[in-house]
Amino acid sequence: MSFTIALNFEDGVTRFVDCGPDDTVVNAAYRQGINIPMDCREGACATCKCRVESGKYSLGDYIDDALSKEEAGAGYALACQMRPESDCVVLVPTQSTACNTKPESFVAQIEDVKRLSDSTFSLVLRGDDLRRLDYLPGQYANLQVPGEAEQHRAYSFSSMDAARTKVSFLIRNVPGGLMSGFLRERAKVGESIRLTGPIGSFYIRAIQRPVLMLAGGTGLAPFLAMLEKIAANGGSKYPIHLIYGVNTDRDVVETDRLDALAQRIDKFSYAICVVDANSEHPKKGYVTHHIEPTHLNEGEVDIYLCGPPPMVDAVAQHLRDVDIKSASFHFEKFAPSLS
Ligand code: FES
């Protein structure tokens, strides 16, 4: 039996290693080519101190100088002593390159390209190479634009199938955009695409309170991946509400998937809001216009936001205006590449 340990580095790179219950995280990582900083290997120097963001584990043997009670209580552990008792997410306080690692690269083939709306493509990639891939739901990969050797674009995973050979993405149709142009004009089923990842600190944490998800446009993609994971894990004890904002009615996509997720996750609900005043949707305006006091639960809420920079700024301002400091606020800002 072994557990999956996600090592998340300061630069957003995540590598996954297998670690048995009798093994330490440092040893398991080292065998798999990742050198977490360490010195004594005896729980004395604190060089390997990491923060465990989720999962169960034993702390092992160490001296108080290396790890205080307060630090242990706050989720810190010494990776040279820590033994997992479940899958874990471990934050390693250094760059991936300092640990002799980097994001992995995969090659997969286009299975499907669909124009979901004027503004959004769905891209599905399939390939056996993807069996090596894992990601924390919410993270992204860099996709190489075929025919443009050095050009990459970052897209959040929106799903991975159970067989782990297929991943999907939502891609914004940017006029003049390299990836948009490729998908619109040249993409062929079976064509290979190289992707590198997973990357990013925007991923779902253990759910310990109500969750508010705010998506702008194709910023919906990481939430689809998060909700798939929540559904696969049996749902949530706490309410999860998604507000999905778009510019026009034509931009609304993936409502079938959202409806299916609402069926599978009892506590999940979602609302769509549309900026266009002529929209047929009842909720008009920006997502900040539709954040209700119940969604903020007097601050006892985890907020996840994925959208363009003005949206992130507007939500941060809204929280200041209503004088709410949320328990946590995770965001991913994206700006379309215009070439
Ligand atoms: Fe010294 Fe882990 S390497 S405490």
Side-chain angles (χ1 to χ4, degrees):
M1 173 189 199
S2 74
F3 302 112
T4 301
I5 310 299
L7 299 172
N8 200 16
F9 299 92
E10 267 185 349
D11 49 6
V13 172
T14 301
R15 293 291 312 273
F16 293 81
V17 297
D18 296 325
C19 185
D22 298 324
D23 208 354
T24 65
V25 170
V26 152
N27 284 347
Y30 184 74
R31 276 200 311 278
Q32 290 161 72
I34 300 169
N35 304 344
I36 294 175
M38 62 171 175
D39 191 356
C40 70
R41 237 179 181 162
E42 292 181 348
C45 72
T47 306
C48 64
K49 193 183 296 176
C50 297
R51 190 158 76 76
V52 187
E53 199 161 48
S54 67
K56 294 188 187 139
Y57 53 96
S58 63
L59 287 166
D61 296 327
Y62 59 90
I63 63 171
D64 287 353
D65 280 355
L67 186 72
S68 68
K69 279 197 180 57
E70 292 73 28
E71 289 174 316
Y76 287 86
L78 300 172
C80 74
Q81 301 299 308
M82 169 189 171
R83 288 174 167 79
E85 295 170 355
S86 73
D87 294 347
C88 294
V89 177
V90 177
L91 305 186
V92 184
T94 188
Q95 305 280 307
S96 59
T97 47
C99 299
N100 193 32
T101 190
K102 58 183 182 180
E104 287 191 285
S105 202
F106 308 85
V107 176
Q109 285 69 47
I110 296 175
E111 179 171 277
D112 191 31
V113 181
K114 238 192 231 108
R115 188 91 173 245
L116 298 180
S117 71
D118 286 352
S119 58
T120 309
F121 292 99
S122 144
L123 172 65
V124 179
L125 303 179
R126 181 188 282 279
D128 286 342
D129 200 22
L130 297 177
R131 290 183 202 280
R132 299 187 293 116
L133 170 71
D134 206 346
Y135 61 81
L136 300 172
Q139 290 190 303
Y140 66 90
N142 285 322
L143 272 60
Q144 185 182 354
V145 185
E148 308 281 349
E150 298 302 323
Q151 296 293 328
H152 298 82
R153 296 291 181 268
Y155 300 106
S156 302
F157 296 97
S158 68
S159 73
M160 175 184 260
D161 71 339
R164 302 169 67 90
T165 55
K166 185 162 86 167
V167 292
S168 64
F169 303 89
L170 294 182
I171 295 181
R172 184 166 164 205
N173 184 16
V174 179
L178 276 187
M179 185 61 92
S180 307
F182 166 72
L183 295 178
R184 216 171 26 236
E185 294 154 15
R186 309 194 307 277
K188 292 190 178 59
V189 170
E191 188 166 3
S192 291
I193 291 191
R194 179 174 292 279
L195 59 151
T196 305
I199 306 170
S201 55
F202 185 73
Y203 52 84
I204 189 83
R205 273 61 175 184
I207 299 177
Q208 295 166 332
R209 56 184 66 83
V211 173
L212 177 61
M213 299 175 163
L214 305 170
T218 52
L220 179 66
F223 295 113
L224 293 171
M226 292 180 186
L227 290 162
E228 290 286 355
K229 174 78 167 184
I230 293 165
N233 286 349
S236 163
K237 281 202 300 196
Y238 299 96
I240 301 170
H241 186 65
L242 166 72
I243 305 177
Y244 169 31
V246 293
N247 288 326
T248 72
D249 289 358
R250 293 189 308 280
D251 296 324
V252 178
V253 298
E254 299 285 41
T255 49
D256 289 353
R257 280 179 74 183
L258 289 171
D259 289 339
L261 286 160
Q263 291 287 322
R264 292 168 65 198
I265 306 171
D266 275 355
K267 303 253 180 190
F268 170 60
S269 58
Y270 77 94
I272 293 170
C273 64
V274 183
V275 174
D276 183 359
N278 296 317
S279 166
E280 290 179 0
H281 283 269
K283 293 184 189 300
K284 300 190 180 50
Y286 294 99
V287 293
T288 44
H289 299 146
H290 301 287
I291 299 174
E292 296 169 12
T294 50
H295 301 146
L296 296 176
N297 197 32
E298 298 182 342
E300 187 56 20
V301 62
D302 292 327
I303 300 178
Y304 293 83
L305 190 168
C306 185
M311 179 182 171
V312 175
D313 297 341
V315 170
Q317 183 61 47
H318 178 78
L319 294 178
R320 284 194 291 275
D321 291 346
V322 296
D323 199 19
I324 291 282
K325 191 170 184 333
S326 58
S328 71
F329 182 32
H330 310 275
F331 62 84
E332 183 93 288
K333 285 184 184 180
F334 67 79
S337 296
L338 297 177
S339 62

